[in-house]
Amino acid sequence: GEVSATPEPNESEYLSPVSIGGQTLNLDFDTGSADLWVFSTSLSSSSIGQHAAFDPSKSSTWEDYPGASWQIMYGDGSGASGTVGFDVVEIGGATASRQAVEIATKVSSSFVSDENNDGLLGLGFSKINTIEPQPQKTFFESILPKLDQPVFTADLEDDAAGTYEFGRIDTTKYTGTLHVTPVDSSNGFWEFASTAYSIGGTTYQNSGASTAIADTGTSLLLVDDNVAQAFYAQVQGSQLSRTAGGYVYPCSAQVPDFGVQIGSSGFIATIPGSDITFAEVGQGTCFGGVQGNGGGGIQIFGDVLLKQYFAVFNGGNESFGIAAK
Ligand SMILES: N[C@H]1[C@H](O)[C@@H](Sc2ccccc2)[C@@H]2OC[C@H]1O2
């Protein structure tokens, strides 16, 4: 079947309405993790705040998973944990009839204060699902056998809503070639080779990190530290600010186009310099959307890059593709 879920854009995430046991929550679709977890009525009311909270006792289709638990820590240091059950999960028309749903009994402060999301829907590979004693399938893996095509697509926009579709590639959503690269899922991510980058139209080989993941749950574009340093060397007045947590520059600075290679094929996905600023941090200073990955071996291609393109995640042949739109 074909479905589409329309994420509501927020500066740092794309949210989509998800029905669980008949209750609707706005979840952050995250290709960088593989847990589907929700704010629940088991949390303290101060943690719940304005969030929608799932109440298993009000779902006629809820099934407990006795003795199971989960605990996740994300790349940004946030985390959550709790208990597990199964329920009917429906997104824009596609239904997983017995999907593992992770009930949060603890969430870190960044989730409490992020009133936009009522939990996360992981679209990574279930080998990194954190449920004990047995990892469970993601929503995408649950519905995969029923889909016309074993794919989902992400069409993220800056200010307008973006769209996730499961089971089809809407060819009207992109122009020109779909640049496809094989994915190595052994780390549980949509990971592919990326060994080159471009600044202002000139291409360079990346001597540091050699792979990258497509991560819809990360706002920024986190590249090898040497690549970030080379990029900001070409932004007048830029500096690495510990207080801001990354490279900042005068908002009036001329920012060059920046590109990163997708796969070893040679395609360089480019971001216009005018789309690279992520936020103003005051006093005419701007925080860049391109930042270093802190020395990890893997680069993280988040929304700053993904919103420039139409992205195809293929669970059938394990590949990742992007096209201009
Ligand atoms: N894959 C990403 C994930 O979705 C978020 S979790 C998150 C935390 C607070 C607010 C919203 C989401 C975190 O940042 C990068 C990596 O980990």
Side-chain angles (χ1 to χ4, degrees):
E2 299 157 6
V3 295
S4 71
T6 305
E8 291 308 316
N10 178 278
E11 193 171 72
S12 66
E13 61 202 345
Y14 289 85
L15 301 154
S16 299
V18 176
S19 167
I20 303 173
Q23 300 172 43
T24 300
L25 294 89
N26 279 326
L27 302 188
D28 181 359
F29 282 24
D30 178 20
T31 59
S33 67
D35 284 50
L36 193 175
W37 69 264
V38 291
F39 272 75
S40 80
T41 46
S42 307
L43 287 165
S44 65
S45 54
S46 58
S47 291
I48 294 174
Q50 299 304 306
H51 291 274
F54 178 69
D55 184 349
S57 71
K58 293 210 170 50
S59 165
S60 58
T61 43
W62 176 260
E63 177 193 336
D64 277 332
Y65 181 173
S69 66
W70 61 282
Q71 177 171 18
I72 196 162
M73 182 69 79
Y74 292 101
D76 68 350
S78 59
S81 62
T83 55
V84 189
F86 301 91
D87 211 335
V88 177
V89 175
E90 183 264 325
I91 300 176
T95 299
S97 54
R98 191 174 176 275
Q99 173 64 40
V101 174
E102 302 169 41
I103 297 296
T105 56
K106 284 184 191 160
V107 293
S108 65
S109 57
S110 60
F111 287 115
V112 175
S113 51
D114 181 355
E115 306 215 318
N116 294 297
N117 80 46
D118 305 320
L120 261 69
L121 187 131
L123 291 169
F125 294 85
S126 52
K127 71 178 304 171
I128 56 171
N129 174 267
T130 72
I131 293 173
E132 295 288 346
Q134 176 69 29
Q136 300 297 308
K137 285 181 183 162
T138 67
F139 173 78
F140 177 51
E141 290 165 346
S142 298
I143 64 173
L144 203 46
K146 293 185 288 187
L147 296 177
D148 294 343
Q149 291 181 264
V151 302
F152 68 89
T153 63
D155 180 9
L156 305 185
E157 302 293 341
D158 195 8
D159 35 21
T163 307
Y164 284 86
E165 283 200 85
F166 294 91
R168 68 185 284 259
I169 297 172
D170 181 348
T171 54
T172 69
K173 287 283 181 66
Y174 68 89
T175 60
T177 312
L178 186 65
H179 301 276
V180 178
T181 179
V183 155
D184 170 1
S185 64
S186 54
N187 291 321
F189 302 118
W190 294 90
E191 187 172 0
F192 47 84
S194 180
T195 54
Y197 63 98
S198 70
I199 301 173
T202 303
T203 300
Y204 307 87
Q205 288 309 308
N206 176 351
S207 55
S210 59
T211 68
I213 68 169
D215 183 1
T216 56
T218 287
S219 310
L220 303 178
L221 176 52
L222 305 179
V223 294
D224 185 84
D225 287 338
N226 302 310
V227 174
Q229 187 178 11
F231 176 69
Y232 285 104
Q234 299 201 31
V235 180
Q236 296 299 321
S238 67
Q239 57 178 343
L240 185 49
S241 159
R242 242 179 307 287
T243 48
Y247 286 95
V248 296
Y249 47 84
C251 296
S252 56
Q254 185 70 28
V255 180
D257 297 350
F258 180 66
V260 285
Q261 192 174 46
I262 305 294
S264 44
S265 69
F267 174 64
I268 304 265
T270 304
I271 306 158
S274 55
D275 283 348
I276 285 184
T277 295
F278 179 72
E280 289 200 42
V281 290
Q283 283 77 40
T285 302
C286 277
F287 185 82
V290 175
Q291 296 292 341
N293 66 356
I298 297 179
Q299 300 173 104
I300 303 180
F301 293 177
D303 302 337
V304 161
L305 176 76
L306 296 175
K307 72 185 179 184
Q308 300 288 334
Y309 292 93
F310 178 77
V312 179
F313 296 79
N314 188 316
N317 61 17
E318 292 203 351
S319 68
F320 172 72
I322 62 170
K325 60 187 182 187

